[in-house]
Amino acid sequence: QILIFIIWLISAIFLFKNSISGLNIWYFVKFLELAIVAYGTTVSLFSSPLPVSSEVERTREARRRWFLLIFVCLGTLQSVIGLLQFINQSPIGLNLIGEQVIYPNLWGVAKVVSSGTAYIRAYGTFPHPNLLSAFLLTTIFLNIYLLTSITWKKFTFFWLNLALFI
């Protein structure tokens, strides 16, 4: 299936060769990278070959748990960055890792207007607040899944609850 998708993307390049620019090639490479990473993540986390030993299954479950824990940790970090941006109504100085330049008086910055005052929406390190919200929603669902499906030590359980609260 992924091979058909890649062939389709490459054929689309040749169909629209008059409009090929360096920026289009860059976006194509980034989209291809996203497709490969998404496919690889899905296969490594959610596929199970038919005959597996209990050791292989434990290893796969441990890998899945670590992936979800890291995802929740990164989501919590994005949440804290977004809260600081909203409280300060300005970027917090993380432009090296992708933070946008956001101020309430800039044109094109997503804002909420209340009582005549414009407040910027939190961006985190994403290019738009809607992407941040989708990432945080996914983080919340994964955090709830981790809290309800796995028996944790009290220390880890506390941090997962704190991450859900933030």
Side-chain angles (χ1 to χ4, degrees):
Q1 295 169 355
I2 192 81
L3 183 63
I4 294 170
F5 180 68
I6 291 171
I7 291 171
W8 175 77
L9 283 176
I10 291 172
S11 65
I13 288 176
F14 293 112
L15 288 174
F16 302 106
K17 66 180 179 184
N18 293 338
S19 63
I20 292 179
S21 68
L23 189 59
N24 288 349
I25 293 171
W26 170 255
Y27 281 121
F28 171 75
V29 169
K30 295 308 281 179
F31 187 75
L32 193 61
E33 176 183 305
L34 172 72
I36 291 169
V37 168
Y39 179 76
T41 302
T42 304
V43 166
S44 68
L45 289 177
F46 301 111
S47 70
S48 62
L50 294 174
V52 294
S53 67
S54 61
E55 183 63 33
V56 171
E57 190 59 38
R58 279 196 302 266
T59 304
R60 183 175 292 133
E61 185 59 35
R63 190 179 334 141
R64 187 177 299 147
R65 185 181 302 171
W66 274 107
F67 174 80
L68 295 176
L69 276 172
I70 290 170
F71 195 99
V72 167
C73 289
L74 292 174
T76 305
L77 180 65
Q78 287 292 331
S79 174
V80 170
I81 291 170
L83 283 171
L84 290 174
Q85 287 173 341
F86 186 77
I87 290 169
N88 293 338
Q89 288 296 297
S90 65
I92 59 173
L94 301 175
N95 51 355
L96 289 177
I97 59 170
E99 185 183 27
Q100 304 295 312
V101 177
I102 49 175
Y103 291 101
N105 56 356
L106 287 179
W107 186 81
V109 172
K111 302 175 200 62
V112 175
V113 178
S114 176
S115 301
T117 306
Y119 298 100
I120 61 167
R121 290 173 56 196
Y123 278 64
T125 58
F126 289 90
H128 195 272
N130 291 352
L131 298 175
L132 174 65
S133 66
F135 185 74
L136 293 179
L137 187 64
T138 305
T139 301
I140 289 170
F141 286 139
L142 290 178
N143 197 344
I144 291 170
Y145 168 76
L146 285 172
L147 284 170
T148 58
S149 68
I150 300 170
T151 305
W152 295 98
K153 296 177 184 173
K154 287 184 179 183
F155 178 76
T156 310
F157 189 74
F158 168 76
W159 287 108
L160 284 172
N161 280 318
L162 183 64
L164 186 60
F165 177 74
I166 291 176

